[in-house]
Amino acid sequence: MEKLVSSWFNNKTLPQSYIFPPETRPGNHIIPRSNAIPVIDLGNASAHDRTLVVQQILKASQEFGFFQVINHGVSEDLMNDTMNVFKEFFELPAEDKADLYSEEFNRPCKLYTSSANYDGDKVHLWRDSLRHPCHPLEECIKIWPQKPTRYREIVAAYSIEAKKLGSRILDLICEGLGLDLGYFGDKLSESVVVSVNHYPPCPDPSLTLGIAKHCDPSLLTILLQGDVFGLQVLNDGKWIGVEPLHNAFVVNIGHQLEVVSNNRLKGAEHRVVTNSMVTRTTAAIFLNPSQDCIVEPAKSLIRADESPAYRAFKFKEFLYNYVTMGGNSEKSLEPFKLHG
């Protein structure tokens, strides 16, 4: 517990173990907040505007690998309650969180700091994190935090709505790619995991990161970003700051969707910078394949003049390699690429 950044950040300068090498630290260069990341109004996905929304999602997924959605059907009250209960969790006294703290890699529900492999980190990340599965809900909820008292009720309702939203977006992507509706249902998006990241104010944001550059190993990620800036996306070699928008979700393409689409969609690298003024709390829902699910390029997307870009693999095989390679995008995908 004493390793948690939130337990000691107030009275220290930045420890050496949190200082990134010059080539990967953010530095003092200000990345402007940007409206370059497309904002898509899902309220327009009615019959006559549905084609437009499908095109917008596909274009954003090809060009950026990221987009934001508004009018998405998740109530503002539930979004606010969820963010508040996550913040309340991190504000609990240490003794109320102690039984959840773990450095055991495979523990399903755990509170940890930096990464899931703290002792193996070359450089520590300026964050604490709570992570647990959300599906099947009736089983998973038994291992969730018991405090705050509203945690299980609110997060259960939120995880159901976030999963519904993810499925809806995946169906729109299906339409855009020309896949059968429901292609991403069942095993390909069976696993639902929430990851709540908590970034306390940092004494020197120019030297460290909340999360280092990476691409998500998921199929699709849905982020409740809150109102504090910090997320940056790499596009054409430049970092773009993702503007926090009221009542919006940030959606990004994960490696598995990159594979299934045979590289038609782009899993974008991104990172999180810190700030010296306020705490930032975010909540990501990862829609993942089940561990034994076979992931491969959709056969109907392989044109006669094309070859599959990847071999078939079990998701757990990919995940093992991803973790071993420290989330490095190129190295994570390399063993699964087919070089024609």
Side-chain angles (χ1 to χ4, degrees), residues 45-238:
S46 55
H48 69 287
D49 284 331
R50 190 175 178 89
T51 304
L52 175 64
V53 172
V54 167
Q55 288 170 349
Q56 288 174 333
I57 288 176
L58 212 61
K59 189 168 187 281
S61 301
Q62 290 165 339
E63 293 182 6
F64 294 96
F66 268 79
F67 51 93
Q68 300 205 57
V69 292
I70 56 173
N71 295 322
H72 39 64
V74 182
S75 81
E76 186 173 354
D77 285 347
L78 182 57
M79 292 172 75
N80 290 337
D81 285 348
T82 302
M83 182 58 80
N84 287 335
V85 86
F86 286 145
K87 289 177 179 176
E88 287 165 25
F89 171 81
F90 282 100
E91 288 163 4
L92 287 171
E95 58 268 23
D96 288 338
K97 297 178 287 197
D99 61 331
L100 289 166
Y101 181 83
S102 177
E103 294 178 30
E104 184 186 327
F105 185 81
N106 288 321
R107 183 171 170 180
C109 178
K110 66 176 180 178
L111 171 65
Y112 62 97
T113 192
S114 182
S115 78
N117 184 22
Y118 182 91
D119 289 334
D121 287 346
K122 291 177 182 173
V123 187
H124 295 320
L125 302 171
W126 188 266
R127 66 148 180 193
D128 297 332
S129 195
L130 172 68
R131 187 181 183 97
H132 61 68
C134 300
H135 182 82
L137 186 57
E138 58 277 7
E139 290 301 314
C140 295
I141 200 169
K142 297 171 187 173
I143 60 170
W144 290 3
Q146 297 185 57
K147 292 183 180 179
T149 50
R150 333 180 288 151
Y151 186 97
R152 292 184 173 184
E153 177 191 352
I154 289 171
V155 177
Y158 176 73
S159 68
I160 290 167
E161 291 303 308
K163 166 73 168 165
K164 277 186 199 168
L165 174 60
S167 297
R168 189 177 164 205
I169 292 168
L170 286 168
D171 277 346
L172 292 165
I173 288 172
C174 270
E175 285 186 44
L177 290 173
L179 293 170
D180 292 339
L181 209 58
Y183 186 92
F184 296 109
D186 300 330
K187 297 290 185 187
L188 268 173
S189 60
E190 183 178 277
S191 168
V192 182
V193 177
V194 67
S195 178
V196 188
N197 287 319
H198 183 75
Y199 311 95
C202 176
D204 193 341
S206 72
L207 296 177
T208 193
L209 288 166
I211 303 181
K213 182 178 79 168
H214 71 291
C215 178
D216 292 347
S218 61
L219 185 71
L220 195 75
T221 303
I222 298 172
L223 178 72
L224 181 58
Q225 183 175 211
D227 55 5
V228 181
F229 175 71
L231 175 63
Q232 297 179 345
V233 177
L234 192 62
N235 186 257
D236 291 334
K238 293 180 181 176

Side-chain angles (χ1 to χ4, degrees), residues 193-324:
V193 177
V194 67
S195 178
V196 188
N197 287 319
H198 183 75
Y199 311 95
C202 176
D204 193 341
S206 72
L207 296 177
T208 193
L209 288 166
I211 303 181
K213 182 178 79 168
H214 71 291
C215 178
D216 292 347
S218 61
L219 185 71
L220 195 75
T221 303
I222 298 172
L223 178 72
L224 181 58
Q225 183 175 211
D227 55 5
V228 181
F229 175 71
L231 175 63
Q232 297 179 345
V233 177
L234 192 62
N235 186 257
D236 291 334
K238 293 180 181 176
W239 289 106
I240 300 173
V242 181
E243 182 74 33
L245 296 181
H246 178 68
N247 203 28
F249 286 103
V250 180
V251 180
N252 66 280
I253 305 301
H255 277 313
Q256 307 314 304
L257 203 39
E258 203 172 359
V259 170
V260 174
S261 71
N262 208 41
N263 287 335
R264 281 170 172 72
L265 306 185
K266 172 183 176 181
E269 292 181 311
H270 51 287
R271 70 181 184 183
V272 173
V273 295
T274 62
N275 76 83
S276 59
M277 303 297 290
V278 294
T279 297
R280 180 173 184 260
T281 303
T282 66
I285 291 270
F286 298 110
L287 300 185
N288 296 327
S290 61
Q291 290 285 305
D292 287 317
C293 177
I294 302 294
V295 181
E296 62 184 333
K299 291 179 174 59
S300 61
L301 295 183
I302 312 297
R303 295 191 295 262
D305 60 342
E306 268 186 337
S307 299
Y310 303 93
R311 67 171 174 86
F313 54 84
K314 285 188 177 179
F315 179 61
K316 64 183 176 185
E317 184 189 355
F318 177 89
L319 211 51
Y320 176 81
N321 189 61
Y322 180 89
V323 171
T324 305

Side-chain angles (χ1 to χ4, degrees), residues 17-49:
S17 62
Y18 286 82
I19 297 176
F20 274 70
E23 65 274 14
T24 53
R25 68 179 66 154
N28 289 313
H29 176 58
I30 303 299
I31 305 291
R33 301 183 189 196
S34 171
N35 56 7
I37 300 296
V39 179
I40 298 170
D41 187 343
L42 291 186
N44 289 334
S46 55
H48 69 287
D49 284 331

